[in-house]
Amino acid sequence: MQHLVETQQFDREALKRLFDLASSFEGKRDESLKGKILASLFFAPSTRTRLSFESAMMRLGGNVISMENASESSSSTKGETIEDTIRIVDNYADGIVLRHSEVGTAARAAAVSEVPIINGGDGIGQHPTQAFLDLYTIQREIGRTDDFHIAFVGNLAYYRSARSLAYLLGKYNNVRMTFVSGPELAMKDDVKEYLKENNVQFDETEDLESAMQVADVVYQTRVAEEWIPNHDDYTKLRDKYIITRPLTDHMKDGAILIHPLPRAGEIEPEVDDSPHAVYFKQAGYGVLVRMALLKTLLAAE
Ligand code: CP
């Protein structure tokens, strides 16, 4: 049995297999998880992660049981610990996808679960399946996972998906990273230390325009109000890095703009029909990648 708690667990070979499998699902359905049940336990809000996992499970012939608002509707409101909840739900399902607002919850669940746990986002910790689909998008749209320059923009301190992707890209060759943010939302030291240990070239700047002109991939983030400790800071930081159509029009030929979504004003709607804008396609790739992951983790169970 294998859990997915953080991106560092997957090596390049495993990711290649995962992405090949994801591509094989394009336009197809499969019955390989017929009779299996996925429990989606969401203690924090989600549109894409929960629905794409459930869609992926159904496209593989499986079934889903779901708690979409578990922080209010589950027995956690009566004081049940996450460990006890998982010890119960693992009797009901063959795999559990879990989202929670506290860092480390997926690891706590994995420590007690008898079925695979998939981290669907734990606080400001990690969101590994988002990072997998982000990298899959990069492979599909620029044709490579080595030898490119990525600019991460905006909220790098409190954006778990960007953290997960930075960790993941540490496994690839000649990937250069530029972190575009002010000091309040700068990428945290754990990621930077990991990149240094793995000889990944990175730099930090506050100059969005210049970074967008040289990057092959621009990764925009949301200044997530729910994670910024002080509301006054949030209102100050929210409008600092807005991607506009003129900025996008100066990106390199073939460069892409990605965003895990949801957005809250940080990419203007006029950007949506730019040839560089692939964020809606990226969300669609999420179903393929999650189908591949579910088949990989659950078919053998
Ligand atoms: N990208 C992402 O995780 O979106 P949701 O919060 O809607 O799942």
Side-chain angles (χ1 to χ4, degrees):
M1 181 180 57
Q2 191 185 355
H3 305 291
L4 174 57
V5 174
E6 56 185 20
T7 54
Q8 298 95 303
Q9 290 172 242
F10 267 55
D11 60 22
R12 289 184 62 134
E13 270 311 303
L15 281 164
K16 184 178 180 317
R17 283 196 299 276
L18 190 77
F19 290 176
D20 287 348
L21 187 56
S23 295
S24 77
F25 286 133
E26 186 128 37
K28 296 205 187 93
R29 289 177 186 240
D30 183 308
E31 291 290 305
S32 53
L33 295 187
K34 194 171 167 54
K36 304 267 184 188
I37 297 172
L38 177 71
S40 56
L41 284 186
F42 278 65
F43 289 84
S46 167
T47 296
R48 278 146 289 273
T49 308
R50 188 171 68 85
L51 292 182
S52 64
F53 262 115
E54 295 185 1
S55 173
M57 188 66 182
M58 291 176 187
R59 286 167 197 237
L60 292 167
N63 293 300
V64 173
I65 53 176
S66 188
M67 292 194 92
E68 66 174 280
N69 201 6
S71 57
E72 289 174 24
S73 63
S74 77
S75 286
S76 68
T77 58
K78 305 172 200 164
E80 186 168 67
T81 63
I82 193 69
E83 284 83 358
D84 282 1
T85 300
I86 296 297
R87 284 186 186 107
I88 301 305
V89 177
D90 71 7
N91 291 285
Y92 306 155
D94 302 289
I96 299 171
V97 55
L98 175 68
R99 172 168 289 188
H100 204 284
S101 56
E102 282 174 28
V103 177
T105 310
R108 285 171 56 196
V112 298
S113 182
E114 297 290 333
V115 301
I117 295 290
I118 300 171
N119 182 1
D122 64 330
I124 57 167
Q126 283 219 19
H127 191 354
T129 68
Q130 180 67 46
F132 292 171
L133 80 90
D134 295 341
L135 184 60
Y136 181 76
T137 302
I138 291 168
Q139 177 180 289
R140 290 287 298 252
E141 298 298 323
I142 71 167
R144 59 194 189 278
T145 52
D146 293 307
D147 304 308
F148 68 92
H149 184 173
I150 181 167
F152 289 93
V153 181
N155 173 15
L156 310 183
Y158 302 109
Y159 206 78
R160 58 194 171 202
S161 310
R163 292 169 45 76
S164 285
L165 184 60
Y167 271 118
L168 192 62
L169 291 175
K171 297 176 185 296
Y172 289 82
N173 298 325
N174 196 26
V175 176
R176 181 172 166 199
M177 301 185 195
T178 296
F179 297 131
V180 184
S181 79
E184 304 89 342
L185 296 178
M187 186 58 92
K188 290 196 182 279
D189 286 342
D190 62 320
V191 172
K192 291 193 272 190
E193 288 306 319
Y194 177 86
L195 297 176
K196 282 181 200 159
E197 283 161 19
N198 288 277
N199 300 315
V200 179
Q201 210 188 334
F202 69 89
D203 59 285
E204 298 181 275
T205 178
E206 297 195 30
D207 181 357
L208 174 62
E209 190 173 353
S210 300
M212 283 187 69
Q213 289 173 7
V214 297
D216 302 294
V217 179
V218 176
Y219 183 119
Q220 176 63 310
T221 61
R222 178 172 61 94
V223 176
E225 187 172 12
E226 62 271 34
W227 303 123
I228 307 287
N230 178 318
H231 185 75
D232 291 342
D233 287 346
Y234 166 70
T235 48
K236 263 191 296 186
L237 298 167
R238 181 186 54 193
D239 299 329
K240 186 163 180 181
Y241 292 114
I242 307 286
I243 295 190
T244 61
R245 183 65 193 236
L247 277 174
T248 317
D249 287 343
H250 286 97
M251 290 172 70
K252 291 196 312 192
D253 283 351
I256 59 170
L257 171 61
I258 63 175
H259 188 318
L261 303 177
R263 64 177 159 179
E266 63 276 3
I267 299 179
E268 293 190 337
E270 292 72 27
V271 176
D272 293 353
D273 62 1
S274 160
H276 301 289
V278 300
Y279 30 89
F280 292 119
K281 232 173 161 182
Q282 179 185 357
Y285 289 144
V287 176
L288 300 178
V289 172
R290 287 172 173 138
M291 284 174 81
L293 185 68
L294 289 173
K295 184 163 177 171
T296 302
L297 297 184
L298 304 191
E301 291 299 303

